[in-house]
Amino acid sequence: MASPELPDPLPLGSPTNRTWREQALTTAAQLRTLSAWLALTDPPSGTDPGTDAGKAVLENAITWHLNEAVSVAAHKSPTVQTSYNGAVVERVLSHLDAAQVALLLRAPVGFVQSQLPNIQAHVRLHLPRTDPQRVAIEKAAKAASTTPLDDAARLTVVSAFRAACIESREEFSRVRSFRNVLIMTALVLTVLAAALAVAGWIRPNEMQLCFDPTEGRACPTGDLPRPWDVLFIESFGLIAAAVSGAASLRHVRGTSTPYGLPLALAILKLPAGALTAVLGLQLMRGGFVPGLSDLDNPAQIVAWAITFGAAQQLFTGLVDRQAQTVLDDIGGKTGSTTDANA
């Protein structure tokens, strides 16, 4: 007897520019292989045309979803906007999730039961303990330990799996939204730092960072205000922020999401350090810190600029903690089965 004809493998070109794209391509290939295997192990019955037609519809849906996911994941995003709003990631992940849902509907009930531990773990990871879908799959899994799943129980399992997939993508969306806020905040702070540097260059006397001790005058680069003084101080504040920010990253956990939240945190600290260096010296010039309003030489001015630049961690540290909370929310809903059945 001739061997059954297998579908052509998914075309894989050169490696893409993102890790999540490679993971998506591999997942699509695995799902396509699994779909072909199920089609061979569960052939058309020939006695129920309605059932055979339903299987054909699901098989076509699986193929279409996988082709759509691969076509997007295999190519670089066309615009910055699609990367910013997450449209590319959402399309790939949603099509992969839809393909898995269709695969669970197409597969024999015995296959779904064999996958029940994995599905149950996925649901526990993303749905809270009181969610009706999670409660339903916990009951279905408990019943399946003694009796095989039926079609009604299969639909309950698939529905809970789909809800968990949706919540998983929503968690990614929250990470993307927070990352975008950080990027926009860093951009605004960068513009403000650049505006201060330009203002100091154009009006060095009005934007001076000089001090008048008992003898002479002390400015960042000598004894007179110069156009590059503000830029000079901002550069030291930026360097200090980079060093203190690098030290603070030891508390930030990496992320498996497609969005670089730790990188956005690190970028935010740089313009913040440049601004706090200038603003801190201006506060000292205004006598805000008693006893420290008369610095004697440029070295002391630079030293305080470094101190103020590193002090940005007092403000951005709050952002670090919020970022960690956002990352901890990804897959952080695991709870005991007893609580779910309560």
Side-chain angles (χ1 to χ4, degrees):
M1 184 177 66
S3 299
E5 183 178 353
L6 296 176
D8 295 331
L10 290 171
L12 294 179
S14 58
T16 60
N17 61 338
R18 292 291 186 274
T19 302
W20 70 266
R21 295 177 184 272
E22 293 298 325
Q23 293 174 345
L25 292 174
T26 302
T27 301
Q30 290 175 332
L31 291 175
R32 179 160 177 159
T33 301
L34 186 57
S35 177
W37 176 75
L38 289 174
L40 294 177
T41 57
D42 185 31
S45 62
T47 59
D48 189 347
T51 301
D52 294 341
K55 291 180 180 179
V57 169
L58 291 173
E59 289 172 0
N60 291 335
I62 294 170
T63 301
W64 181 78
H65 284 303
L66 293 180
N67 288 341
E68 287 294 313
V70 169
S71 65
V72 176
H75 298 88
K76 186 178 179 180
S77 303
T79 63
V80 176
Q81 181 182 3
T82 55
S83 298
Y84 182 80
N85 61 25
V88 172
V89 175
E90 179 64 24
R91 171 169 289 193
V92 172
L93 295 184
S94 60
H95 276 292
L96 289 178
D97 290 342
Q100 293 183 74
V101 169
L103 188 63
L104 292 174
L105 292 173
R106 163 64 181 86
V109 176
F111 174 82
V112 177
Q113 183 159 354
S114 70
Q115 297 298 308
L116 189 54
N118 292 332
I119 298 173
Q120 188 178 16
H122 180 67
V123 171
R124 287 179 176 180
L125 197 62
H126 296 290
L127 296 182
R129 288 172 298 194
T130 57
D131 187 277
Q133 301 274 24
R134 177 169 169 175
V135 173
I137 195 175
E138 296 289 354
K139 293 180 179 179
K142 185 177 181 180
S145 62
T146 56
T147 58
L149 286 177
D150 54 18
D151 287 333
R154 180 230 291 269
L155 294 178
T156 298
V157 171
V158 173
S159 178
F161 176 78
R162 181 176 179 274
C165 289
I166 294 174
E167 178 58 27
S168 174
R169 299 200 303 272
E170 288 294 326
E171 293 168 355
F172 280 10
S173 296
R174 287 191 286 271
V175 174
R176 185 192 71 247
S177 177
F178 191 75
R179 182 212 61 177
N180 292 347
V181 170
L182 294 180
I183 291 176
M184 292 304 300
T185 303
L187 180 61
V188 171
L189 293 180
T190 301
V191 172
L192 292 177
L196 273 180
V198 172
W201 194 282
I202 297 175
R203 297 293 182 89
N205 291 323
E206 286 78 359
M207 296 292 297
Q208 61 178 288
L209 297 173
C210 299
F211 293 83
D212 297 311
T214 55
E215 295 182 3
R217 197 180 197 194
C219 295
T221 56
D223 55 1
L224 293 174
R226 290 177 171 83
W228 52 82
D229 282 353
V230 174
L231 181 61
F232 180 75
I233 292 300
E234 285 186 347
S235 65
F236 279 99
L238 187 148
I239 294 172
V243 175
S244 63
S248 69
L249 289 179
R250 70 185 186 277
H251 299 298
V252 178
R253 188 186 66 189
T255 174
S256 58
T257 69
Y259 308 108
L261 189 56
L263 178 60
L265 284 171
I267 294 174
L268 175 66
K269 299 176 187 294
L270 302 182
L275 285 173
T276 54
V278 175
L279 296 178
L281 288 176
Q282 287 290 358
L283 289 175
M284 292 180 66
R285 288 187 72 245
F288 184 79
V289 183
L292 294 176
S293 58
D294 293 331
L295 301 183
D296 297 330
N297 53 64
Q300 290 185 358
I301 297 176
V302 170
W304 277 103
I306 294 174
T307 301
F308 285 124
Q312 54 77 34
Q313 186 60 33
L314 297 175
F315 306 101
T316 58
L318 301 175
V319 182
D320 292 342
R321 287 190 285 272
Q322 179 61 31
Q324 191 61 60
T325 300
V326 173
L327 292 178
D328 290 340
D329 188 54
I330 299 177
K333 303 177 179 63
T334 302
S336 66
T337 305
T338 303
D339 293 336
N341 290 329

